[in-house]
Amino acid sequence: MELLGSTLTTTYARPKTSHFLPAISTMASSYRNTQPALGRSPSANMWRTNSYYKSSSALPLTSSTQRDHFDLVRANTAFYPSNRTMLTNRYTPDDWYKSNHSNYRESESSRKSAERLRKDTIRLMQDREQLTRRTQENTSKNIAERVNDIVFWRSELSHEIDNMVTEIAALSEVKKRLERALAETEGPLKVSQECLYNREKRMSIDLVHDDVEKDLIKEVEVIKSCQERMRRHLDRAIAQLSNRAAQHELEKDMSDKVSAQRIDDRCHHLRNTSDGIGYYRGIDRIDHVSLPDTWSKFTDDNILHSQSERANSHKLRDEIEILLNTTSNEMWNQFNNANVAFTNRISETADAKNNLQAHLAKQTLQEIFQTEMLIESLKKALRDKENPLKVAQTRLEERTRRPNVELCRDNPHYLVGEVREIEDTIQKLQERLMEAENTLQILVKTKVTLEHDLSIKAHSLFLDQEKCMGMRKSFPSLPRLVGYT
């Protein structure tokens, strides 16, 4: 055989074919006749001489008949081994000796190649055995280190999961307090709106945009503003609690680490004599999802993300605490301001009512009585002027009947001045009577106005003092406004 290549990568070719003799094969097929079996008669084994063909050619045949006969003769004539041996060339003795020497050289070369192959193979098996043992030991060491890494990251994940669970519980408690505080604001808001609704029932001049109404409107705005801020923070808390992607990633990573540690522990304790080992074709060509750097970075990123979420949750809890204290103080302060405005307004309304009652009792009613007396006096004076006027006008009418020159403008004729004087007096008295009647009407109207105003003030006092302040006697305490029961 011919040796090709180095020791570790030796390849061997098949024996080289001799150029001197044909290849000798010991297969049984080499002894088979390569010529096809032809149908022949028993007389075909006899050697045909040229005279046989000559005698057959003497027959009188046509050209087509003669050609068919020749083809039949050619087909029935076969080349047997005896015939082939007689016809082929023979080898020379030099060829025979050369063939033998070539076979000797090839045998020696094959023997040396086989010996060299045996030694190289033994050395290769020993080297590979040592290499396999060292590789297996290094692999076991690497698996042990990998298990230690997994244990470390498991402890980090467990610690972070515990912190995340604690933070979620704290945020849940703050969220419940915020919900209770938000529910507590509904009562004061309804009271404020009810007070505004009741005060809309004030009548006439008392329906003013006073300090009480301003404080009530501001109180409603403050409560609604506090509710809006509470709802926003409540939505943030709900979103923070519902968005547990960080915790889910930590728990999933922890589950994967537990499975990986269990598998690596089993792999670390596997030996060549262990049960359950076997062949798995193509397992060394499986693609891996991550590398050691990306593997540790994945867990570290999960922990950093969880820490960031915990920081956001802690910041949100602080903001909610500040919000609860701020909103409770704002609502309490505005509640007190509205109560002070109510107290002042009730005092002002009571004073106005008392003053109206004094004016109505002492002045308006007395003036009405005196004006009525004056009207009666004026009417009596007018009645008293009727007879003197009649006397004066009767005298003038009688004296106009004097005849001729007796109809003189004498001193008695100045009765005309008396009539005019009496008429002027009556006119002035009538004017005074009219003024007195107008004044009386004004006084009566004023009296009605004062009485109506008194009823308005009484109604306003009832609304502010009885209905509104009656509802505002109770207000949620500060602990309830910050969410504590």
Side-chain angles (χ1 to χ4, degrees), residues 341-474:
F342 262 114
T343 303
N344 294 333
R345 185 61 178 173
I346 290 172
S347 177
E348 292 176 355
T349 305
D351 293 340
K353 179 184 176 185
N354 294 331
N355 292 331
L356 286 174
Q357 288 177 344
H359 280 283
L360 180 62
K362 294 181 181 180
Q363 297 180 6
T364 306
L365 294 178
Q366 185 178 0
E367 287 297 329
I368 290 175
F369 176 74
Q370 292 178 356
T371 303
E372 289 176 349
M373 296 298 295
L374 178 62
I375 290 174
E376 291 298 329
S377 299
L378 288 174
K379 288 181 178 180
K380 183 177 180 300
L382 286 174
R383 287 195 300 270
D384 292 341
K385 293 297 185 288
E386 290 178 359
N387 291 330
L389 180 60
K390 290 179 181 180
V391 171
Q393 288 182 351
T394 301
R395 286 176 179 176
L396 282 177
E397 195 277 333
E398 288 293 333
R399 293 188 84 239
T400 57
R401 296 176 183 175
R402 290 177 298 169
N404 299 319
V405 73
E406 293 297 329
L407 189 61
C408 178
R409 188 183 296 271
D410 51 6
N411 288 332
H413 183 73
Y414 288 99
L415 287 170
V416 176
E418 181 183 3
V419 172
R420 291 178 179 175
E421 181 180 352
I422 294 172
E423 289 179 350
D424 182 60
T425 301
I426 291 173
Q427 183 180 359
K428 289 182 179 179
L429 289 175
Q430 288 177 346
E431 290 176 358
R432 291 289 179 174
L433 178 60
M434 187 178 294
E435 291 178 2
E437 289 176 350
N438 292 334
T439 302
L440 180 60
Q441 291 178 358
I442 292 172
L443 289 174
V444 171
K445 185 178 180 180
T446 302
K447 173 179 173 291
V448 173
T449 302
L450 291 178
E451 289 175 349
H452 179 68
D453 204 5
L454 277 173
S455 65
I456 290 174
K457 296 295 185 292
H459 182 66
S460 299
L461 281 175
F462 173 76
L463 293 175
D464 290 345
Q465 192 170 12
E466 299 298 330
K467 303 201 70 171
C468 293
M469 292 304 293
M471 292 186 297
R472 299 177 66 86
K473 288 181 180 179
S474 61

Side-chain angles (χ1 to χ4, degrees), residues 224-242:
K224 287 185 177 180
S225 174
C226 293
Q227 287 180 341
E228 181 64 26
R229 285 179 288 171
M230 288 181 181
R231 289 192 183 97
R232 286 201 302 267
H233 283 74
L234 183 60
D235 292 339
R236 290 177 56 189
I238 293 174
Q240 185 71 29
L241 288 174
S242 61

